[in-house]
């Protein structure tokens, strides 16, 4: 058996998320189906760095699996790509030792969130951005982002349904860049871990701050109250991209 | 009756082209359905500047129609947009006099064609570019584009099925810009008219020139021979955008 680490991109629009589901099209399902073909009928389990929800995209999701037999990393890349649908692309393939684990070895992750600030929904962006056609002060958002940096209890920003007890996470960087050419506001968050829906809830809260409907330092209060009801909104899946996963 | 001129954008991916077809989803069909609703049951005929094929996009398609009653142009824009699916956007609305005709009044049109030059198909570009993962000399393409300028017989570049006898058209400008950041080559063509599939055939020929499989001045020969078989290829619909339509 040889362990392979792959870095993959996918357009999440037509997937029911990353995780394998019976009868639904998922990224893990598509990958395992390809490996089943390559091994002529052996079940190969794919492990991802984490799940992504339906409609969420990836520019640099990382997976690993154990393959019966050894083929050069580059041949593995070509073989899998030849079996991938057009909405999944394997960008990089590496042979790693058996201590590497795509999920348990994660040190940091970077998520990107794209907001289309145009008045009307742009037909070409509807699956690839969240849409916020309201007043936004990017300055206020910049101030608020500073409050996110560091170690905090993100209980207010975790969707119910998660089973994780410890909701303390560390955010290393949180940025927003507004591009006036395409009227897009692009957020990036790098942290040691993210709770279920956390980025989408953070973005919804940041947009409310930018719109003036929340105090610029509302994050400080939300860390204290530890109450999901207080953060309310969840930005749409379509704007979210898993950009990069970092290991040791 | 009041005549309205609308400028619209659409993502052509999920349309069976512009022109109304029974039981198939088309841009004209979607617009006429909205107007049918607004007029509480009157059939309003929509006239476009020209058809676009299945999968072809528009950034600035122009249409006109006669509406029973008069509402301010801006209200028309809001009313129609509120009835549009997310893949169609009305960008501009004007009241015009009865001499305006979206099709017969066209003076010039600009088409854009986007080519993704990456080795693998980018999951995010598959519906929005043509894909050409082969060697390309942009210099050769620039030389060839100059041969297109002016009045020529484009018989070699018209798909069979067209009924137009006169295949002489004038190209005012033809450009190609390569962007190394996203590895895209973007063509733009402005002319007084374009035959059926003409832009897609021109692009396929230009890519063969850039790849070195045709002489850089092959257009001069193709204008002479007037033979569709000689031009061969047709670039995919997904890369084509009707960018702008010009009137008097």
């Amino acid at each position: 058996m040889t362990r392979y680490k792959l870095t993959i991109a996918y357009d999440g629009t037509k997937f029911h998320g990353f995780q394998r589901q019976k009868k639904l099209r998922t990224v893990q399902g598509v990958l395992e189906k390809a490996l089943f073909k390559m091994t002529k009928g052996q079940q190969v389990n794919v492990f991802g760095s984490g799940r992504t929800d339906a409609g969420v995209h990836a520019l640099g999701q990382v997976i690993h699996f154990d393959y019966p037999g050894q083929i050069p990393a580059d041949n593995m890349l070509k073989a899998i790509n030849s079996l991938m649908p057009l909405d999944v692309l394997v960008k990089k393939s590496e042979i790693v030792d058996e201590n590497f684990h795509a999920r348990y070895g994660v040190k940091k992750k970077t998520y990107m969130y794209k907001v289309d600030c145009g008045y009307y929904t742009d037909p070409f962006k509807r699956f690839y951005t969240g849409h916020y056609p309201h007043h936004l002060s990017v300055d206020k958002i910049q101030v608020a982002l500073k409050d996110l940096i560091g170690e905090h209890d993100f209980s207010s920003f975790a969707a119910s349904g998660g089973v994780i007890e410890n909701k303390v996470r560390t955010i290393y960087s949180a940025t927003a860049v507004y591009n006036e050419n395409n009227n897009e506001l692009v957020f990036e968050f790098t942290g040691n871990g993210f709770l279920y829906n956390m980025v989408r809830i953070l973005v919804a809260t940041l947009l409310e701050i930018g719109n003036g409907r929340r105090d610029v330092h509302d994050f400080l209060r939300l860390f204290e109250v530890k109450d999901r009801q207080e953060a309310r909104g969840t930005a749409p899946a379509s704007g979210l991209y898993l950009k990069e996963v970092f290991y040791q």
Side-chain angles (χ1 to χ4, degrees), chain A residues 160-171:
Chain A
S160 55
V163 290
I164 293 165
E165 294 275 316
N166 177 5
K167 293 180 175 165
V168 173
R169 296 289 180 279
T170 300
I171 302 290

Side-chain angles (χ1 to χ4, degrees), chain A residues 33-244:
Chain A
K33 207 170 116 190
L35 290 163
F36 189 80
K37 235 182 209 173
M38 286 170 64
T39 57
K40 298 190 172 58
Q42 291 184 55
Q43 172 68 33
V44 176
N45 289 315
V46 164
F47 296 84
S49 75
R51 309 173 189 178
T52 54
D53 280 343
V56 173
H57 313 293
L59 302 175
Q61 168 72 292
V62 174
I63 62 160
H64 87 258
F65 55 83
D66 291 322
Y67 190 81
Q70 172 154 6
I71 55 178
D74 205 44
N75 292 13
M76 175 60 78
L77 182 129
K78 281 176 192 150
I80 297 211
N81 267 331
S82 75
L83 295 168
M84 282 298 107
L86 288 178
D87 43 1
V88 179
L89 173 65
V90 180
K91 299 170 85 172
K92 198 175 169 188
S93 162
E94 297 159 80
I95 292 174
V96 289
D97 73 42
E98 61 186 14
N99 294 316
F100 177 83
H101 195 289
R103 185 166 164 208
Y104 300 127
V106 174
K107 287 290 155 211
K108 292 196 293 182
K109 278 186 183 177
T110 300
Y111 278 98
M112 176 171 84
Y113 195 98
K114 282 191 183 181
V115 180
D116 175 15
C117 304
Y119 182 74
Y120 287 112
T121 303
D122 183 323
F124 297 96
K125 294 181 181 177
R126 68 199 194 285
F127 297 131
Y128 306 107
T129 59
H131 185 217
Y132 195 77
H134 309 291
H135 165 77
L136 271 185
S137 157
V138 179
D139 288 347
K140 283 186 183 171
I141 287 172
Q142 302 289 9
V143 172
L145 285 168
K146 289 191 188 125
D147 291 340
L148 288 178
I149 309 298
E151 187 179 271
H152 304 286
D153 185 319
F154 285 93
S155 296
S156 290
F157 305 95
S160 55
V163 290
I164 293 165
E165 294 275 316
N166 177 5
K167 293 180 175 165
V168 173
R169 296 289 180 279
T170 300
I171 302 290
Y172 304 114
S173 81
T175 60
V177 175
Y178 176 70
N179 181 341
E180 63 180 13
N181 292 320
N182 59 13
N183 214 359
E184 283 181 11
L185 181 65
V186 179
F187 292 99
E188 283 200 16
F189 304 92
T190 300
N192 66 351
F194 293 88
L195 303 165
Y196 186 52
N197 274 357
M198 179 170 144
V199 178
R200 292 166 57 188
I201 301 168
L202 288 176
V203 169
T205 306
L206 283 159
L207 293 174
E208 290 193 348
I209 289 172
N211 188 239
R213 290 156 63 210
R214 280 181 192 270
D215 186 80
V216 281
H217 292 297
D218 206 36
F219 279 121
L220 303 180
R221 184 182 68 86
L222 291 162
F223 290 142
E224 285 295 321
V225 296
K226 300 179 181 58
D227 180 357
R228 172 69 184 97
Q229 303 300 317
E230 287 288 328
R232 287 198 303 270
T234 307
S238 53
L240 186 60
Y241 297 73
L242 173 53
K243 191 178 176 189
E244 199 169 353

